[in-house]
Amino acid sequence: MKNKKIKLLFVTHKFPPSVGGMENHCFELYTRISKSVDTVMLKLPDGASRVLWLLTLSRRIRRVLEADKDITHVYFNDGLIGLCCRSVKKYSNVKTIVTFHGLDAVYPNSVYQRRIGDNLKNNIDAVIAVSSATADECLKRGAGREKVHVAPNGVDLSLKNIAHDRGFLKRLEERVGIPLKGKKILVSTGRGV
């Protein structure tokens, strides 16, 4: 049953058919949220210019909010597009939620860092950080502790059901150029912090 009190505008520039971790994150989050919350999506169209879309994003969001007065919350899939929170707050009283994945909090550009800090202090109502390290970086940049929530990315446990590939080890040995038989292989996903 959908929550009648909340209507969410889900804003993302990372979504399938594009492939990647953030695309998976957005797909899974949108799929699950839209089952219980009335959700409208604003996403980068397939094949569109990311730069042009980002440059016109504030205007696009404003049009959606003006056309649909029932929207109560706007979700941004990362800190970069979350910079639009400032303009959203100028013309609307919707709540803003931004997921920070890491680099979008620490990107080493002084202009970007000033904007992110101002945004975290004044324009974002809730921060979802995908790790404690990312949460700490958001706190360092001025986010109030009460608005920062850690929600680590999940793992698709159905992957354990993938059929065993007997030729995999041989192909991996050829690719890395070293013998692997009888050795332990450590596999890591993500960026170690």
Side-chain angles (χ1 to χ4, degrees):
M1 185 169 141
K2 292 198 176 192
N3 184 326
K4 302 271 186 205
K5 295 178 184 177
I6 296 174
K7 186 165 187 181
L8 178 73
L9 174 57
F10 191 102
V11 184
T12 181
H13 61 112
K14 303 272 189 162
F15 204 81
S18 295
V19 177
M22 286 175 63
E23 289 81 356
N24 287 344
H25 170 93
C26 287
F27 175 78
E28 295 295 339
L29 185 61
Y30 177 79
T31 300
R32 283 163 176 73
I33 285 176
S34 62
K35 288 178 183 176
S36 58
V37 174
D38 193 4
T39 308
V40 175
M41 179 179 279
L42 178 59
K43 72 177 185 86
L44 174 70
D46 299 341
S49 163
R50 186 172 306 233
V51 172
L52 182 59
W53 189 80
L54 290 171
L55 290 172
T56 60
L57 184 56
S58 289
R59 188 173 348 127
R60 292 169 191 269
I61 293 169
R62 185 175 190 157
R63 280 190 210 133
V64 172
L65 293 176
E66 286 172 350
D68 191 340
K69 301 291 186 193
D70 293 334
I71 293 174
T72 58
H73 294 73
V74 180
Y75 168 78
F76 297 90
N77 79 287
D78 70 13
L80 173 64
I81 66 170
L83 289 172
C84 291
C85 287
R86 182 177 182 182
S87 62
V88 167
K89 289 295 190 180
K90 285 182 180 178
Y91 57 80
S92 175
N93 62 356
V94 298
K95 298 292 184 188
T96 55
I97 307 151
V98 180
T99 294
F100 280 84
H101 300 269
L103 185 58
D104 51 350
V106 300
Y107 185 71
N109 175 287
S110 61
V111 173
Y112 179 81
Q113 284 299 313
R114 276 194 304 280
R115 299 262 332 263
I116 285 293
D118 177 60
N119 217 23
L120 284 163
K121 289 176 203 162
N122 302 312
N123 305 310
I124 298 174
D125 296 302
V127 171
I128 302 168
V130 300
S131 69
S132 295
T134 300
D136 290 343
E137 294 299 335
C138 291
L139 292 168
K140 286 179 194 174
R141 284 156 179 78
R145 188 165 296 282
E146 71 285 352
K147 67 168 97 171
V148 178
H149 310 276
V150 177
N153 287 320
V155 175
D156 184 351
L157 294 178
S158 69
L159 293 175
K160 69 181 181 194
N161 299 324
I162 294 174
H164 179 72
D165 179 353
R166 296 193 188 278
F168 175 77
L169 187 61
K170 183 175 181 178
R171 286 193 311 279
L172 183 60
E173 284 178 332
E174 289 169 1
R175 185 162 191 176
V176 297
I178 57 174
L180 298 172
K181 188 170 179 129
K183 295 187 177 170
K184 302 272 185 200
I185 301 171
L186 176 64
V187 177
S188 175
T189 61
R191 183 169 14 116
V193 175

